[in-house]
Amino acid sequence: MVPMKKILILGGTTEARQLAGKLDARADLSITLSLAGRTESPVAQGVPVRTGGFGGVDGLAAYLREMAINLLIDATHPYAARISANAASAARTSGVPILALRRPGWEPVEGDRWLEVDSVAGAAKALGDVPRRVFLALGRQEVAAFEATPQHHFLIRSVDPVEPKLAVPNADYLLARGPFREADERALLEKHRIDAIVSKNSGGDATYGKIAAARALGMEVVMVRRPALPDVPSAETVEALAAIVDQFGVDHLVRPVDERGV
Ligand SMILES: NC(=O)c1ccc[n+]([C@@H]2O[C@H](COP(=O)([O-])OP(=O)(O)OC[C@H]3O[C@@H](n4cnc5c(N)ncnc54)[C@H](OP(=O)(O)O)[C@@H]3O)[C@@H](O)[C@H]2O)c1
């Protein structure tokens, strides 16, 4: 019997879950999905899951070797830059092939009023001195940067509660998990009389509703630019990435060159 090939998928995204399900349907592949463990009650993933950090590049490289992983797939969120960098380095040092799922970012279209900034702290600054009513569609880890601008009124939406609450006088909290439809986003923005949104350029359809709603309302979006990610072989969609695995098989994917050159 031919042994199954082992794939480790670094996840935390809807696409990672979908990809895991798609590849797991193949009898010759054994899939493990890795989550950082940030979300208190992640949705069921449908395949075996391991949770928690690996301990940097060395920890991930050791895991790849110890578990005899044949292929590493980085399907993390486009703003999870550290784990993507670690994945590329660990693939090189361990000689395990790597593929990445790189969801394309959104592009501004006519009617959009985007103000692009390089960081969440930059977004806080870009809101200006005059008090505004701001919708923060960011992870709960990032909203602390807005304590630097307590003059604004914030509406903060997150999957898990923001604890501790922001040290600002005016903030409303909303717990919700996407996808979010444009009509619902528009109703939310109108109900809370929002005049600016701070968003990441996540790409995909699940969270685009607020961007489309902002455009329809002529509202400013302070858009945090994407971080730089390592250059590894990649595909833009679940289907395209699964097709690479189907076409080449795990054995014929190019092994990364060892960074140490030994
Ligand atoms: N950043 C976002 O906006 C965002 C949005 C939606 C979902 N997510 C998901 O949430 C997770 C954390 O995001 P982040 O921005 O905090 O990541 P990050 O800053 O790139 O990673 C920080 C550390 O968390 C651990 N880690 C991250 N993803 C992991 C995974 N899939 N499996 C095991 N360990 C992981 C690693 O710890 P060690 O160094 O100890 O290995 C990594 O060094 C990611 O899996 C990402 O896909 C992030």
Side-chain angles (χ1 to χ4, degrees):
M1 208 173 80
V2 183
M4 288 167 99
K5 298 293 176 190
K6 290 185 177 177
I7 299 183
L8 177 68
I9 301 178
L10 302 173
T13 58
T14 303
E15 285 99 333
R17 179 162 45 85
Q18 291 168 341
L19 180 69
K22 212 170 165 65
L23 295 179
D24 196 50
R26 282 181 44 163
D28 58 334
L29 301 178
S30 159
I31 311 296
T32 301
L33 190 58
S34 175
L35 301 179
R38 298 275 196 284
T39 308
E40 283 160 17
S41 49
V43 294
Q45 303 287 319
V47 299
V49 170
R50 64 152 306 283
T51 304
F54 295 94
V57 176
D58 293 345
L60 179 53
Y63 180 94
L64 296 173
R65 279 192 291 260
E66 278 159 24
M67 303 303 284
I69 299 295
N70 300 104
L71 171 65
L72 176 62
I73 298 180
D74 173 15
T76 57
H77 190 270
Y79 285 74
R82 190 180 322 161
I83 187 70
S84 290
N86 288 358
S89 296
R92 272 195 301 268
T93 55
S94 62
V96 173
I98 180 170
L99 291 174
L101 185 53
R102 299 268 195 256
R103 184 201 297 172
W106 300 314
E107 295 292 337
V109 300
E110 196 172 338
D112 277 330
R113 291 180 55 214
W114 288 13
L115 179 62
E116 295 193 79
V117 295
D118 285 329
S119 64
V120 174
K125 232 182 231 157
L127 290 171
D129 296 334
V130 178
R132 302 174 79 175
R133 295 184 63 87
V134 184
F135 177 37
L136 298 182
L138 299 169
R140 65 173 168 157
Q141 276 96 19
E142 285 119 346
V143 292
F146 294 87
E147 290 183 342
T149 56
Q151 69 273 27
H152 305 299
H153 188 124
F154 296 107
L155 172 64
I156 300 166
R157 182 170 67 194
S158 56
V159 173
D160 292 311
V162 174
E163 292 294 351
K165 301 265 184 268
L166 284 202
V168 298
N170 297 304
D172 297 321
Y173 297 86
L174 199 60
L175 290 183
R177 200 192 291 266
F180 303 104
R181 294 183 323 131
E182 179 183 344
D184 297 335
E185 296 291 66
R186 183 174 175 149
L188 182 75
L189 296 173
E190 288 179 325
K191 179 178 165 203
H192 290 269
R193 295 177 289 113
I194 299 297
D195 57 58
I197 297 177
V198 179
S199 175
K200 291 180 179 174
N201 190 341
S202 299
D205 297 333
T207 58
Y208 190 68
K210 62 180 176 287
I211 307 299
R215 179 165 61 240
L217 296 168
M219 188 182 295
E220 185 171 61
V221 176
V222 180
M223 187 68 84
V224 181
R225 286 194 190 93
R226 287 181 165 209
L229 296 177
D231 189 14
V232 300
S234 66
E236 292 188 351
T237 63
V238 169
E239 290 68 29
L241 198 134
I244 295 176
V245 177
D246 285 345
Q247 187 183 350
F248 295 103
V250 170
D251 279 337
H252 296 98
L253 292 166
V254 178
R255 279 166 203 288
V257 176
D258 189 328
E259 214 175 15
R260 297 165 303 176
V262 289

